């Protein structure tokens, strides 16, 4: 490899590094940890349903609460003697 080829490769590498440094805030906003958190939050919010308070039947709300409570995992009571 001649000297001109090595200089060209170094200049291209510097240009790529400069471009990545200049675009880093925009890229991290789109692909970074904060973007991942906001996408995850948006997915969670999209799965929520709104229960109308006055227009809906009050029994519907009570039934949904009972259904949610039945679906919760239940842990057995701890035996204090098992820790000793």
């Amino acid at each position: 490899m001649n000297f001109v080829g090595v200089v060209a490769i170094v200049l291209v590498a510097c240009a790529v590094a400069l471009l990545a440094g200049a675009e880093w805030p925009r890229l991290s906003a789109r692909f970074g940890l904060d973007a991942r958190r906001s996408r995850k939050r948006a997915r969670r919010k999209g799965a929520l349903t709104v229960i109308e308070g006055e227009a809906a039947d009050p029994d519907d709300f009570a039934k949904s609460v009972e259904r949610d409570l039945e679906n919760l995992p239940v842990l057995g009571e701890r035996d204090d003697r098992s820790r000793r």
Side-chain angles (χ1 to χ4, degrees):
M1 224 185 212
N2 60 15
F3 180 71
V4 176
V6 173
V7 171
I9 291 173
V10 169
L11 286 176
V12 169
C14 288
V16 168
L18 183 64
L19 182 64
E23 293 294 325
W24 185 253
R26 189 170 65 100
L27 292 174
S28 67
R30 187 169 190 175
F31 300 111
L33 186 60
D34 291 335
R36 184 178 296 133
R37 286 180 184 155
S38 65
R39 286 191 304 268
K40 191 174 181 180
R41 183 172 187 261
R43 271 188 254 124
R44 283 195 319 260
K45 285 180 71 174
L48 296 176
T49 57
V50 177
I51 298 175
E52 298 294 330
E54 297 179 22
D57 186 20
D59 292 332
D60 288 341
F61 178 73
K63 289 176 186 176
S64 69
V65 170
E66 289 175 7
R67 184 178 58 247
D68 290 343
L69 288 175
E70 288 173 1
N71 291 332
L72 286 176
V74 178
L75 300 176
E77 293 185 24
R78 288 188 175 177
D79 187 11
D80 289 336
R81 290 176 277 154
S82 65
R83 290 185 149 182
R84 294 181 191 174

